[in-house]
């Protein structure tokens, strides 16, 4: 698609990645009324609810751009689905050094936040192996789910689009998607023909870490051939924070305005090409990533990470010979990834080396639409296989070498019956997790036989889902879904046995763990009328078996004479529920010589309980309120936004409450003169935390929370160009 000049309000909504955060109207007001009277923001929530109710009563004639979520293999998008999409200028303003920080603040999404350099997305209170990270729909293999201090290998700098699917997506992507999916999409394997040369560049400076980063993408083609090349780099110093007193291991350190050991440097790039026709494409890509970053938990430890990934992808649509009567489209993708990171002490000695290699294959076929007595029926069937080899070598290795293999069959069908659209699907998997124990060369000769003999576990998790939606894209739409999800335990949940330095605990796996099971129900309601919209979701998830890391009450002696608490992976009963409200209204329409003015606001909350211990689940984001006002002219955009995180007091006995905070942010962007900078060049600026508020994240593990507050007031500026 050719880049356009300016940011015209009618031609393309331009929301800078703000998740249409309006929690207004009659849907939101009863929820606000249910807040306890002592809740400090109750009057503000009520005021916003009432204001939004009045504003959303106005009608609108303009059409809103429909965004297709590629997480749905049938290619449909509907206003009520629990999903967020970042792309274009919106993604440019939200980009940060980590994937978690980039997405933090979207409805239902927070970040694990183990310092500024290691932050994975947390969706509806679930993280780790319950949130699936994808690269172009394929597995993103790294070690980030193993430990909070391990960074994700997906870098937002070169992503063209990031999609977040909230709620169970295990039907399509396996049990590791119990909480949701984050899919980073680029064009490293071109899917459409192109002629000539095109590309984009982006440079940004500033921020709380004095960041200097840039990325460049070049694409071209001739005839049926298309190619892609990109490169990026980022360098940042220690992150500035409002003056605070760091707390490490329960000991207060000297007051500081810098988050210790938080500097980072990363670079990477990729090349790809494809043979493209009107009936599909076939291509390949190769990429490399390097990342060197400090770990805030330890003042002198640096992690050196690298990843290489090779991917193949293809699609065929249209005539398929003898199969044309059955199939209308077949897509396939495969990847091989090699990952390594080393934890290096200040002396230069390598403490622990983590290595992973993995293969991922996914093939899905869309059958031709069938006419039934109830209405048209369409759907997809697919197969997916994955292999992950993991090893850790060094004194801090707390998991033996393992091999995880899985194979799955899945199907999703969609039936249109008048005003209602019904969807049903199922997935069956076979998972094998093998531990090399102390027989592996990496652990042989260890001073103690911590990992035992080689062993293997087998699991057959199954998932199923049923949903229905009624209504139109313009106007009201309602949806409901029910699902059953199972997840095989991860290798570390089964076989861990050692001191985990990042958490300060001795973690023990449980080889007798069963598959994690959950039942999920969700209700959605959405209304769209041109630039006005409101969307609400209520969800409830009950885990019959939730794999939790719980304190045993035992302390394990260490070689230095100290002792650490023992934590054991157990299957417990758990209950999670929450709500997400978001919306937007056009306060003032654009007219010749004038600008459009939009009001957006949002509210989300999640609560979780361990039903066996009768305590709250750990690291849950508190109730969060967002509101923003943004103006948009023909070739400029500016706005101001307020984000309030309530105090989080629902915590387990092993954690402490997190204070509430209110952050004020502002942003602006405009096209540069075309005569000097070309037809599609824009500058942008964002000023975060204008009031320099000291804030902490409740979703961050307690051992690091006191060391890593939110960043201080900082200005980031940049230039983005397309040609």
């Amino acid at each position: 698609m050719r880049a356009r000049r300016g940011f015209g309000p009618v031609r393309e909504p331009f929301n800078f990645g703000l998740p249409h955060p309006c929690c207004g109207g009659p849907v939101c007001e009863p929820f606000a009324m249910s807040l306890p009277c002592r809740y400090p923001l109750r009057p503000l929530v009520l005021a916003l609810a009432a204001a939004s109710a009045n504003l959303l009563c106005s009608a609108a004639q303009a059409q809103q751009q429909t965004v297709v979520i590629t997480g749905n293999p049938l290619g449909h998008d509907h206003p009520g689905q629990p999903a967020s999409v970042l792309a274009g200028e919106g993604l440019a303003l939200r980009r940060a050094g980590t994937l978690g920080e980039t997405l933090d603040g979207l409805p239902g999404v927070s970040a694990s936040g183990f310092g500024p350099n290691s932050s994975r997305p947390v969706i509806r209170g679930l993280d780790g192996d319950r949130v699936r990270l994808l690269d172009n729909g394929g597995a993103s293999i790294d070690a980030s789910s193993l430990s909070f201090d391990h960074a994700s290998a997906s870098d937002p700098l070169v992503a063209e689009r990031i999609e977040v699917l909230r709620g169970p997506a295990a039907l399509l992507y396996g049990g590791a998607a119990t909480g949701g999916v984050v899919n980073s999409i680029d064009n490293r394997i071109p899917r459409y023909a192109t002629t000539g040369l095109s590309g984009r560049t982006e440079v940004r400076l500033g921020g709380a870490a004095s960041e200097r980063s840039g990325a460049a993408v070049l694409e071209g083609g001739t005839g049926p051939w298309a190619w892609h090349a990109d490169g990026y780099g980022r360098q940042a110093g220690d992150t500035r924070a409002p003056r605070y007193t760091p707390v490490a291991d329960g000991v207060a350190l000297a007051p500081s305005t810098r988050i210790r050991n938080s500097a980072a440097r990363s670079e990477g790039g990729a090349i790809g090409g494809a043979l493209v026709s009107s009936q599909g494409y076939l291509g390949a890509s190769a990429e490399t990533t390097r990342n060197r970053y400090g770990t805030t938990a330890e003042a002198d430890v640096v992690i050196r990470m690298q990843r290489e990934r090779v991917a193949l992808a293809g699609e065929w649509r249209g005539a398929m010979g003898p199969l044309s009567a059955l199939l209308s489209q077949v897509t396939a993708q495969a990847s091989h990834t090699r990952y390594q990171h080393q934890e290096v002490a200040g002396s230069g000695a390598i403490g622990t080396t983590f290595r992973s290699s993995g293969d991922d294959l996914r093939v899905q076929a869309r059958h031709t639409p069938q006419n039934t007595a109830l209405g048209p029926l369409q759907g997809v069937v697919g197969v997916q296989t994955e292999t992950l080899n993991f090893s850790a070598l060094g004194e801090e290795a707390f998991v033996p070498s393992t091999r995880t293999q899985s194979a799955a069959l899945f199907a999703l069908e969609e039936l249109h019956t008048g005003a209602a659209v019904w969807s049903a699907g199922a997935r069956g998997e076979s998972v094998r997790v093998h531990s090399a124990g102390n027989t592996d060369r990496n652990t042989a000769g260890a001073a103690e036989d911590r990992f035992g003999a080689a062993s293997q576990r087998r699991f057959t998790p199954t998932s199923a889902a049923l949903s229905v939606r009624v209504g139109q894209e313009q106007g009201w739409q309602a949806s409901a879904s029910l699902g059953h999800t199972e997840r095989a335990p991860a290798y570390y949940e089964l076989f861990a046995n050692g001191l985990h330095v990042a958490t300060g605990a001795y973690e023990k796996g449980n080889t007798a763990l069963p598959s994690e099971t959950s039942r999920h129900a969700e209700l959605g309601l959405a209304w769209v009328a041109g630039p006005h919209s409101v969307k609400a979701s209520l969800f409830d998830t009950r885990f019959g078996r939730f794999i939790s890391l719980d304190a045993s009450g035992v302390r394990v002696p260490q070689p230095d004479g100290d002792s650490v608490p023992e934590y054991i992976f157990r299957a417990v009963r758990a209950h999670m529920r929450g709500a997400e409200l978001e919306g937007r209204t056009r306060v003032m329409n654009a007219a010749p010589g004038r600008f459009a003015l939009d009001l957006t606001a949002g509210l989300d909350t999640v609560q979780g309980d361990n039903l066996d211990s009768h305590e709250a689940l750990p690291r849950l984001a508190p109730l969060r309120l967002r509101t923003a006002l943004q103006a948009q002219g023909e070739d400029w955009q500016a706005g101001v936004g307020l984000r309030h995180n309530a105090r989080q007091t629902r915590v387990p006995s092993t954690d402490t409450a997190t204070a509430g905070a209110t952050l004020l942010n502002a942003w602006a962007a405009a096209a540069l003169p075309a005569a000097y900078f070309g037809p599609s060049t824009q500058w942008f600026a964002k000023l975060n935390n204008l009031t320099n508020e000291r804030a902490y994240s409740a979703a961050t593990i307690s051992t690091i929370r006191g060391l890593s507050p939110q960043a201080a007031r900082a200005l980031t500026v940049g230039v983005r160009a397309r040609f």
Side-chain angles (χ1 to χ4, degrees):
M1 180 181 295
R2 300 292 297 177
R4 62 180 176 83
R5 162 79 172 162
F7 312 126
V10 176
R11 289 174 290 171
E12 181 178 352
F14 186 76
N15 68 7
F16 283 112
L18 291 174
H20 291 166
C22 193
C23 76
V27 177
C28 180
E29 190 168 356
F31 181 83
M33 291 296 293
S34 70
L35 295 174
C37 293
R38 65 179 181 273
Y39 181 65
L41 278 187
R42 186 174 186 265
L44 179 57
V45 174
L46 287 170
L48 280 173
S52 297
N54 293 331
L55 288 169
L56 290 173
C57 288
S58 61
Q61 302 300 322
Q63 295 296 311
Q64 182 170 333
Q65 182 184 16
T66 297
V67 178
V68 176
I69 304 297
T70 59
N72 182 350
L74 298 176
H76 299 310
D77 175 43
H78 61 91
Q81 64 182 336
S84 300
V85 177
L86 296 179
E89 291 85 354
L91 176 58
L93 266 187
R94 289 196 67 104
R95 287 193 216 274
T98 64
L99 189 61
E101 187 182 354
T102 299
L103 303 178
D104 186 24
L106 292 178
V109 183
S110 55
S112 58
F114 196 97
N117 299 316
S118 179
S119 187
R120 274 178 60 106
V122 180
I123 301 179
R124 293 180 171 178
L126 299 175
D127 59 5
D129 263 299
R130 298 182 183 94
V131 173
R132 188 67 186 270
L133 302 186
L134 303 175
D135 289 330
N136 298 299
S140 178
I141 293 175
D142 51 36
S144 61
S145 64
L146 172 66
S147 179
F148 294 104
D149 62 331
H150 297 177
S152 166
S154 296
D155 197 298
L157 267 176
V158 292
E160 294 279 354
R161 176 183 175 100
I162 300 177
E163 300 178 348
V164 181
L165 310 179
R166 306 188 300 274
L171 189 65
L172 298 175
Y173 299 108
T178 299
V181 171
V182 176
N183 190 13
S184 298
I185 300 171
D186 50 54
N187 195 39
R188 286 173 168 171
I189 299 180
R191 287 161 168 75
Y192 301 98
T194 184
T195 56
L197 181 66
S198 63
R200 66 174 174 88
T201 60
E202 183 176 316
V203 176
R204 58 179 60 221
L205 302 169
S210 301
E211 176 183 338
R212 302 181 299 279
S213 63
V217 176
L218 290 175
E219 295 178 337
T222 177
W225 295 99
W227 59 268
H228 169 104
D230 67 61
Y232 65 90
R234 174 179 178 267
Q235 187 164 340
D238 287 340
T239 301
R240 289 185 292 106
R243 188 172 181 82
Y244 74 111
T245 300
V247 178
D249 299 324
V251 178
L253 306 178
S256 176
T257 57
R258 294 276 180 177
I259 299 176
R260 72 177 189 183
N261 198 24
S262 57
R265 185 181 74 243
S266 63
E267 58 272 333
I271 57 172
L275 178 63
V276 182
S277 75
S278 60
Q279 292 185 303
Y281 66 92
L282 178 63
S285 68
E287 64 182 83
T288 183
T289 300
R290 299 289 189 274
N291 192 356
R292 179 185 175 94
Y293 62 94
T295 59
T296 304
E298 299 168 284
D300 63 346
V301 174
V302 171
I303 289 181
R304 295 191 308 217
M305 184 188 79
Q306 63 184 58
R307 185 182 78 159
E308 281 78 35
R309 185 172 186 265
V310 177
L312 303 172
E315 178 179 289
W316 186 259
R317 51 189 179 268
M320 298 186 184
L323 298 178
S324 295
L326 298 175
L327 303 178
S328 60
Q329 183 183 51
V330 175
T331 61
Q333 58 190 52
S335 67
H336 173 73
T337 304
R338 297 178 63 88
Y339 171 92
Q340 173 181 291
H341 89 238
Q342 297 175 322
E343 300 183 354
V344 184
S347 63
I350 298 175
T352 308
T353 298
F354 294 88
R355 293 192 183 97
S356 296
S357 64
D359 298 289
D360 171 60
L361 172 66
R362 182 183 182 91
V363 180
Q364 64 185 36
R366 183 171 180 173
H367 67 71
T368 55
Q370 304 294 317
N371 292 320
T372 70
L374 297 176
L377 178 71
Q378 60 179 337
V380 297
V381 294
V383 59
Q384 183 175 9
T385 64
E386 291 185 40
T387 300
L388 174 65
N389 297 298
F390 168 84
S391 66
L393 174 63
E395 58 184 13
E396 296 179 5
F398 64 100
V399 181
S401 296
T402 61
R403 180 179 177 86
T404 304
Q405 295 174 291
S406 66
L409 293 172
F410 61 88
L412 175 66
E413 295 292 328
E414 188 174 272
L415 178 66
H416 292 250
T417 59
V421 179
W422 298 82
S423 297
R427 180 185 178 101
E429 295 183 68
S430 173
V431 181
R432 292 186 298 171
V433 188
H434 177 268
S435 166
N438 271 78
T439 62
D440 182 72
R441 62 180 177 86
N442 289 333
T443 53
E448 52 183 331
D449 187 13
R450 287 189 290 123
F451 301 127
S455 60
Q456 179 174 276
R457 288 291 312 277
R458 293 175 178 265
F459 304 91
T460 55
T462 58
S463 300
L466 174 67
S467 67
V468 61
R469 68 178 188 270
V470 295
Q472 304 296 322
E473 288 191 5
Q474 292 291 314
W476 287 101
Q477 185 176 105
S479 62
S481 64
L482 295 172
H484 170 82
T485 299
E486 297 182 3
R487 178 180 72 89
Y491 59 92
Y492 55 88
E493 294 171 328
L494 293 168
F495 301 115
N497 190 10
L499 175 63
H500 189 178
V501 175
T503 61
Y506 193 97
E507 296 184 7
K508 292 189 68 174
N510 183 352
T511 56
L513 281 175
S515 292
E516 183 175 85
T517 62
S518 62
R519 291 172 296 165
H520 174 83
E522 182 158 350
L523 296 175
L525 187 65
W527 175 74
V528 177
H532 307 281
S533 66
V534 63
K535 180 165 68 173
S537 297
L538 298 173
F539 62 90
D540 187 283
T541 303
R542 295 181 180 270
F543 290 86
R545 296 190 295 265
F546 180 85
I547 300 177
S548 176
L549 184 61
D550 296 331
S552 67
V554 175
R555 295 192 68 87
V556 180
Q558 297 301 297
D560 59 2
D562 198 2
S563 64
V564 296
E566 179 186 69
Y567 279 69
I568 299 176
F569 286 98
R570 294 174 174 150
V572 302
R573 295 177 303 121
H575 180 206
M576 302 192 74
R577 64 275 185 199
E580 296 158 359
L581 305 167
E582 52 180 310
R584 148 185 307 261
T585 188
R586 176 65 52 82
V587 178
M588 183 174 70
N589 286 313
R594 299 179 60 186
F595 55 87
L597 191 63
D598 289 335
L599 171 68
T600 62
L603 183 80
D604 62 49
T605 181
V606 60
Q607 293 186 359
D609 296 288
N610 182 327
L611 299 181
D612 288 351
S613 66
H614 305 290
E615 289 190 324
L617 291 175
R619 303 186 311 279
L620 297 182
L623 184 145
R624 304 183 304 174
L625 174 68
R626 305 172 303 278
T627 185
L629 189 65
Q630 61 184 38
Q632 178 175 304
E634 176 63 21
D635 57 0
W636 61 272
Q637 180 87 204
V640 60
L642 184 74
R643 174 178 168 182
H644 176 79
N645 297 334
R647 177 178 172 84
Q648 179 57 284
T649 57
R650 298 193 75 256
V651 296
S653 58
T654 54
D655 201 352
T656 57
T658 303
T662 301
L663 304 178
L664 183 64
N665 305 311
W667 60 91
L672 291 168
Y676 300 101
F677 298 96
S680 299
T681 303
Q682 303 98 26
W683 65 266
F684 59 86
K686 57 180 180 178
L687 182 58
N688 290 337
N689 196 4
L690 273 74
T691 59
N692 208 35
E693 176 92 353
R694 185 169 62 240
Y696 296 88
S697 172
T700 298
I701 188 171
S702 58
T703 55
I704 198 70
R705 191 181 301 141
L707 289 170
S708 182
Q710 301 290 302
R713 177 174 52 239
L715 174 67
T716 300
V717 296
V719 175
R720 188 170 188 261
R722 288 186 177 273
F723 59 89

